[in-house]
Amino acid sequence: MLALISAVAFGVTLGGAIGAIATGDPRYIIAWSLALPIAIVAAVFAFLRSVGAVGRAAGTGAAPPTGELALARVERIGRTGLTVSGQPQVELLLTVAPRFRAAYTTTHRQVVDVVAIPRVQPGEVVVVRRPDDAAPEVVLELDPPADWARLRDAEQLRTGAERTIPLAEQAPRWEPVEPSAASAGRRATAPRRTARRVLLAGTAVATAAVVLIPAYDAIGRTARAIASGDPASAGVVLGDRHREIVDALVAETGGTRFVSIGFYGEYALASAPSEPGALTIDSYEYRYDRTSHGGPDPIQPDDPEAALFDVGDVDWDRIPAFIDVAEEHSGIAEPTGVIVTVSRSPVADATGALPLRMLVMLGSAYEDAVVPFDATTGELLG
């Protein structure tokens, strides 16, 4: 379960990191930054359980340890170089004397508290548990039941023919009682481990894919823009999604009348009535492929009714062409920044109306330019 939790958390981390890089969306940054510690902690505890440093939780419903108990003698001890929470993992050569089969020798690795190291020195008798009677693996029981503790202490005093545990040279390496079944088990172990690893990796990848579902459009758009050699076209102002963005703002505001709409590098800003028909103006934003309502606009027009325009009066699909014309007109062929705004002019025309105006603002290292257009006819005004 810990390994599965770790895989899911690593999947969220992977998806969040990719989403953050592709979109810059802070939600993805928060997702991976929260998931990564969970993934690491779960992975560490899963590893500790795998090396025997952490057992199953005790308490109501906890499964008791399984397998028969047996006496064993430590023949050799060595350190593997691995430590867990400051406790060393040791490698023991043991001679194990089960009650219902011939004695055998086996190598066992386990994390042992440094305080208990003297109890597993060569020549010491220990109690072990054999989880599987058809396999040589054992687990040290350093605090065995009282009757087994007495058997251990008594065996420690025996010598010669009195020994229950034979000498190491008299106990061959493990040979299964049922060779065919044991060998089949060994053959099955590697595929099971491989299948488990594949399952965990698949879980992580699937989780990452689910996390990235909201960013699929942005990732695809970015990939296409990079492939075309124009990464900036994946943005807001230099892309071709102006009508799509306006439609999203219309859905957010609930109406088609706006005071202003501005397209910037990675976002769009708008001022519109706080609700359809209202003359109080709020601010709205389009960023990370979603809209948001920012509350009252800090600049309220003196005459809101006169400042409003309908988005249907503008051909939003022509904005890329307006930008091209503005670059040619201004002589700034490769601007470092582009902003496009649509709003009514503050100066009335001959009829007394406030014309609807589009401003294309271009910036470069040495000069800036503002090129005005009639937003309804597309006529260049300057």
Side-chain angles (χ1 to χ4, degrees):
M1 179 58 71
L2 285 173
L4 184 60
I5 293 173
S6 178
V8 171
F10 271 119
V12 175
T13 301
L14 177 62
I18 294 174
I21 293 171
T23 68
D25 192 332
R27 294 187 301 181
Y28 282 113
I29 298 174
I30 294 172
W32 78 257
S33 61
L34 292 178
L36 182 58
I38 296 174
I40 293 175
V41 170
V44 168
F45 274 95
F47 171 74
L48 293 179
R49 286 189 60 179
S50 71
V51 298
V54 176
R56 296 185 182 274
T60 303
T66 59
E68 68 159 346
L69 293 176
L71 295 177
R73 184 174 55 250
V74 179
E75 306 293 351
R76 187 175 66 243
I77 182 172
R79 296 190 62 165
T80 66
L82 173 68
T83 59
V84 179
S85 300
Q87 308 301 332
Q89 185 189 61
V90 298
E91 182 177 271
L92 305 173
L93 179 62
L94 299 173
T95 299
V96 183
R99 290 179 293 175
F100 305 113
R101 61 153 292 136
Y104 63 91
T105 59
T106 186
T107 300
H108 171 64
R109 291 186 175 188
Q110 185 171 327
V111 175
V112 178
D113 193 302
V114 291
V115 176
I117 293 295
R119 296 159 60 184
V120 290
Q121 293 300 307
E124 292 292 324
V125 175
V126 294
V127 178
V128 297
R129 186 177 296 277
R130 302 180 60 239
D132 184 356
D133 187 60
E137 286 77 13
V138 298
V139 178
L140 294 177
E141 290 283 348
L142 296 176
D143 294 304
D147 55 341
W148 278 94
R150 288 192 294 270
L151 291 174
R152 175 198 62 195
D153 296 341
E155 180 65 21
Q156 190 73 53
L157 300 176
R158 293 190 178 103
T159 60
E162 298 178 346
R163 292 190 181 99
T164 301
I165 307 172
L167 298 176
E169 56 269 20
Q170 298 172 341
R173 279 285 185 173
W174 168 265
E175 293 182 3
V177 175
E178 299 176 2
S180 59
S183 60
R186 285 196 299 272
R187 288 195 300 269
T189 299
R192 282 200 299 269
R193 290 177 180 173
T194 301
R196 183 171 183 270
R197 290 168 183 166
V198 170
L199 174 63
L200 293 177
T203 299
V205 172
T207 303
V210 171
V211 169
L212 285 171
I213 286 176
Y216 280 176
D217 289 344
I219 293 172
R221 187 167 57 247
T222 300
R224 290 191 297 271
I226 294 174
S228 70
D230 184 16
S233 64
V236 168
V237 69
L238 295 181
D240 57 2
R241 299 181 295 132
H242 305 93
R243 182 176 296 278
E244 172 189 331
I245 292 169
V246 170
D247 289 343
L249 289 169
V250 167
E252 177 68 38
T253 62
T256 61
R257 304 183 75 198
F258 287 74
V259 171
S260 67
I261 298 178
F263 301 92
Y264 301 81
E266 301 297 333
Y267 59 93
L269 299 177
S271 297
S274 52
E275 60 182 34
L279 294 180
T280 52
I281 306 303
D282 285 6
S283 61
Y284 299 85
E285 182 177 27
Y286 178 95
R287 191 190 292 260
Y288 310 125
D289 288 356
R290 63 181 184 272
T291 57
S292 61
H293 186 173
D297 196 304
I299 301 177
Q300 297 287 318
D302 294 332
D303 186 355
E305 184 60 39
L308 290 170
F309 69 91
D310 194 284
V311 296
D313 296 336
V314 181
D315 186 353
W316 302 99
D317 294 328
R318 295 182 62 189
I319 288 180
F322 290 148
I323 294 174
D324 292 340
V325 172
E327 291 178 356
E328 181 179 356
H329 179 77
S330 66
I332 302 177
E334 296 183 359
T336 56
V338 179
I339 297 173
V340 176
T341 63
V342 177
S343 63
R344 293 202 176 275
S345 171
V347 180
D349 59 15
T351 65
L354 299 178
L356 186 56
R357 185 179 62 176
M358 178 184 295
L359 298 180
V360 178
M361 291 168 269
L362 307 175
S364 68
Y366 298 103
E367 61 178 326
D368 300 324
V370 178
V371 183
F373 295 87
D374 185 308
T376 56
T377 66
E379 178 185 356
L380 180 64
L381 299 179

